[in-house]
């Protein structure tokens, strides 16, 4: 399928030489987060806040109302979000993690447990900052990266039931369902899984909260993969999903189609009031929540556009296209391909590089060095640990690299360049070396880490 839009505004991308990129890599000590945008040709680091706005969104932004309290833009946003989600209380925030922090500060207490299909890192961090334990219960199918099961983003219902009914059940303060499951290969969650989770939560009087960052993509995959939903529109699926939950936290930088924005949606008045108080103290008054009026108007328009079937069909199509080209290049991905990202199996591509020499990071560096492509390692650099002498203590279950696909930004020929670069990397795979850490910080080390190539085994 072709793109259901044409391009009105273009932005040049930087075209660099291999030797410039080699110099850049050395300058940043092989930490791709430290590259400047001008040094990157195709940036697949994140699909968050990196999409293109539509003409209708820009027009909505121009009519944004910057009144401090009670702006027209807030009511445009509120009306759209309340209609989509069905929640009575909708509080804007500047992005997803602000929504997490506010909701969790109010909902959680020290010693509580939050269960999830898989927490995104900031969701986990905010639960832990509130003194709670964030525990992941991904379904067993998620462990097999190659299998074609349609809903590998599901929560493990048996484990959920056991925990809720067991000795720790009374400590469970929330169940967070991340749709789609970014921490587990961008896989979708089925409506059946959401419904059964909601039933268990209701029986145990535990709120079920959607982490809805990619709700429209999840809805599209439901219409394609879940028989009972073949005749529904993505919008209908999304409306039903929100209504199964007691509330949501949303990063609108993904399926809100905006560069900045988010919100909290809730039905519980008391909880919403407590969140509102914290919102006013830390984000902004409850009718702007850290955003400009124009941002609220653009977010409202984005939330309406994102469930358009033609938009979602093309987005799934371009991900499937790149997935096929990547497989042809000889690189395995987490199957089946989702929509917001492809997760490359670097461990399998470089069996000669041990986890503590970071095969995923080696692939990310190769993609940059050879094609100017920036990606994100999701393996032992991100999740592993070493002792003070650098000996490995813990490695990640898989050595992956995420190619995140910004919305409405790159075309097929950009992705052809990604696939061609991967082909080159595969040809010389046996000669690719690993890395060792020369400096790191104790938390979230991947953002600031410094590394060196390991040239001898
Ligand atoms: N939840 C999920 C599932 C996410 O993927 C993200 C962000 C957040 C919450 C936090 O939202 O960034 O607006 O504060 N994910 C980005 C990514 C950063 O690249 O996957 P935020």
């Amino acid at each position: 399928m072709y793109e259901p839009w044409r391009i009105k505004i273009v932005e040049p991308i930087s075209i660099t030489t291999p030797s410039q990129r080699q110099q850049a890599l050395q300058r940043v000590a092989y930490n791709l987060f430290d590259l400047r945008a001008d040094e990157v040709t195709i940036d697949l680091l994140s699909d968050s806040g990196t999409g293109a706005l539509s003409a209708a969104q820009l027009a909505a932004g121009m009519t944004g109302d910057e009144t401090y309290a009670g702006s027209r833009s807030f009511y445009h946003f509120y009306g759209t979000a309340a209609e989509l989600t069905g929640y009575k209380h909708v509080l804007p925030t500047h992005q997803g993690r602000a929504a997490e922090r506010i909701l969790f500060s109010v909902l959680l207490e020290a010693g509580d447990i939050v269960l999830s299909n898989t927490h995104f890192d900031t969701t986990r961090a905010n639960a832990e900052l509130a003194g709670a334990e964030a525990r992941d219960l991904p379904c067993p199918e998620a462990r097999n990266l190659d299998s074609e099961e349609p809903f590998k983003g599901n929560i493990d219902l048996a484990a959920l039931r056991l925990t809720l009914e067991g000795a720790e059940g009374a400590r469970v303060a929330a169940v967070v369902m991340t749709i789609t499951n970014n921490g587990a290969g961008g896989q979708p969650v089925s409506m059946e899984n959401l419904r059964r989770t909601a039933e268990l939560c209701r029986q145990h009087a535990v709120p079920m909260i959607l982490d809805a960052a990619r709700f429209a993509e999840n809805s599209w995959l439901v219409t394609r993969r879940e028989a009972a939903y073949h005749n529904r529109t993505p919008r209908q699926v999304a409306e039903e999903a929100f209504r199964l939950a007691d509330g949501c936290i949303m990063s609108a930088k993904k399926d809100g189609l905006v560069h900045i924005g988010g919100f909290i949606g809730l039905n519980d008045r008391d909880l919403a009031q407590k969140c509102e108080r914290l919102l006013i103290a830390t984000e902004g008054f409850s009718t702007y929540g850290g955003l400009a009026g124009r941002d609220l108007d653009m977010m409202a328009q984005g939330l309406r556009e994102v469930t358009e079937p033609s938009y979602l069909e093309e987005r799934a199509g371009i991900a499937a296209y790149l997935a096929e080209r990547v497989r042809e290049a000889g690189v395995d991905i987490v199957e089946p391909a989702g929509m917001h990202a492809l997760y490359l199996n670097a461990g399998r591509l470089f069996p000669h590089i041990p986890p503590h020499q970071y095969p995923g990071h080696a692939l990310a560096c190769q993609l940059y060095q050879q094609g100017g492509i920036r990606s994100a390692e999701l393996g032992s650099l991100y999740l592993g640990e070493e002792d003070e002498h650098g000996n490995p203590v813990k490695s990640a279950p898989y050595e992956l690299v995420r190619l995140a696909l910004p919305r409405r930004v790159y075309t097929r020929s950009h992705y052809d360049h990604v696939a061609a670069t991967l082909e080159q990397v595969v040809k010389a795979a046996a000669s690719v070396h690993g890395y060792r850490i020369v400096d790191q910080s104790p938390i979230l080390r991947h953002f600031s880490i410094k590394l060196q190539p390991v040239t001898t085994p």
Side-chain angles (χ1 to χ4, degrees):
M1 182 190 170
Y2 47 78
E3 289 85 353
W5 32 264
R6 56 185 177 172
I7 297 162
K8 182 147 39 183
I9 297 180
V10 296
E11 182 184 21
I13 52 179
S14 302
I15 298 174
T16 53
T17 63
S19 77
Q20 284 171 328
R21 296 195 290 267
Q22 186 53 43
Q23 274 175 21
L25 276 178
Q26 280 167 1
R27 191 195 78 240
V28 299
Y30 300 90
N31 179 343
L32 302 178
F33 281 99
D34 281 342
L35 290 170
R36 297 171 65 120
D38 290 347
E39 292 167 325
V40 178
T41 306
I42 309 268
D43 206 341
L44 307 184
L45 185 64
S46 179
D47 66 319
S48 181
T50 53
L53 296 172
S54 67
Q57 282 182 288
L58 275 175
M62 287 306 288
T63 59
D65 171 11
E66 306 303 340
T67 304
Y68 188 89
S71 78
R72 283 191 305 277
S73 300
F74 170 73
Y75 289 102
H76 294 160
F77 157 71
Y78 175 82
T80 301
E83 198 179 298
L84 170 68
T85 63
Y87 302 133
K88 295 191 200 89
H89 308 280
V90 182
L91 301 169
T93 60
H94 81 278
Q95 63 182 87
R97 64 199 74 183
E100 294 159 8
R101 176 183 56 78
I102 290 171
L103 180 65
F104 289 171
S105 310
V106 170
L107 191 63
L108 305 180
E109 281 172 18
D112 283 351
I113 299 173
V114 184
L115 302 175
S116 176
N117 51 343
T118 307
H119 292 84
F120 179 68
D121 359 351
T122 57
T123 323
R124 168 180 301 280
N126 278 304
E128 288 171 357
L129 279 171
E133 180 197 337
R135 199 179 291 174
D136 293 341
L137 302 176
C139 67
E141 294 83 5
R143 258 176 254 137
N144 181 351
L145 304 188
D146 304 311
S147 75
E148 292 280 344
E149 254 96 13
F151 290 108
K152 286 156 82 174
N154 284 350
I155 198 166
D156 182 338
L157 287 165
L160 176 65
R161 181 189 293 277
L162 264 179
T163 314
L164 288 171
E165 288 174 358
E168 293 174 321
R171 287 170 53 208
V172 178
V175 173
V176 173
M177 293 296 281
T178 312
I179 58 169
T180 56
N181 197 342
N182 188 19
Q187 299 291 320
V189 177
S190 73
M191 293 300 282
E192 195 201 340
N193 191 258
L194 278 184
R195 197 173 308 111
R196 292 178 62 187
T197 304
E199 279 162 18
L200 280 171
C201 285
R202 206 170 312 117
Q203 282 163 20
H204 293 270
V206 171
M208 176 171 116
I209 304 293
L210 287 187
D211 178 348
R214 299 177 182 85
F215 74 94
E217 294 175 0
N218 200 80
S219 300
W220 176 258
L221 293 170
V222 163
T223 66
R224 296 284 132 156
R225 298 184 187 177
E226 193 165 351
Y229 290 85
H230 284 338
N231 296 323
R232 305 286 184 85
T233 64
R235 168 82 190 199
Q236 287 168 331
V237 177
E239 285 180 5
E240 188 178 326
F242 281 115
R243 283 159 183 79
L244 284 171
D246 299 290
C248 75
I249 38 182
M250 172 76 189
S251 166
K253 298 173 74 172
K254 288 80 166 169
D255 278 352
L257 299 178
V258 282
H259 298 142
I260 199 76
F263 62 90
I264 303 169
L266 289 170
N267 279 330
D268 184 309
R269 191 163 146 258
D270 184 46
L271 195 57
Q273 270 178 353
K274 288 183 182 146
C275 287
E276 186 174 351
R277 276 179 222 137
L278 194 54
L279 180 83
I280 296 173
T282 59
E283 283 280 288
F285 187 62
S286 46
T287 62
Y288 74 88
L291 294 167
R294 63 175 163 272
D295 297 326
L296 290 164
D297 260 310
M298 291 192 288
M299 178 158 67
Q301 178 61 26
L303 289 171
R304 289 192 293 269
E305 281 175 20
V306 75
T307 50
E308 275 298 316
S310 60
Y311 158 77
L312 288 167
E313 184 176 5
E314 192 275 336
R315 183 148 170 81
I318 196 76
Y321 172 78
L322 180 60
E324 192 47 35
R325 299 274 338 249
V326 167
R327 290 186 204 104
E328 281 165 13
V331 179
D332 290 337
I333 58 168
V334 176
E335 298 286 0
M339 282 172 78
H340 85 287
L342 299 183
Y343 295 68
L344 313 181
N345 193 332
R348 201 173 282 165
L349 180 63
F350 300 136
H352 58 287
I353 305 180
H356 61 277
Q357 290 182 8
Y358 317 111
H361 188 68
L363 178 55
C365 286
Q366 285 292 314
L367 281 170
Y368 178 69
Q369 160 72 59
Q370 301 209 27
I373 300 153
R374 179 154 66 170
S375 54
E377 193 261 7
L378 288 178
S380 291
L381 192 69
Y382 174 57
L383 292 171
E385 269 172 43
E386 299 83 23
D387 64 18
E388 63 272 29
H389 309 293
N391 301 314
V393 176
K394 184 180 124 195
S395 53
Y398 313 102
E399 303 297 335
L400 302 176
V401 170
R402 187 182 77 165
L403 302 181
L405 312 178
R407 292 166 182 78
R408 306 188 288 207
V409 169
Y410 295 120
T411 62
R412 249 158 231 250
S413 38
H414 292 117
Y415 292 127
D416 284 340
H417 170 69
V418 174
T421 305
L422 267 174
E423 272 168 32
Q424 277 180 43
V425 174
V426 171
K427 273 190 203 132
S431 62
V432 171
H433 50 70
Y435 288 80
R436 72 182 175 83
I437 296 173
V438 290
D439 189 32
Q440 61 176 308
S441 72
I443 47 161
L444 296 174
R445 68 175 183 177
H446 53 290
F447 289 121
S448 57
I449 205 155
K450 308 236 174 299
L451 301 112
Q452 247 176 23
V454 177
T455 39
T456 46

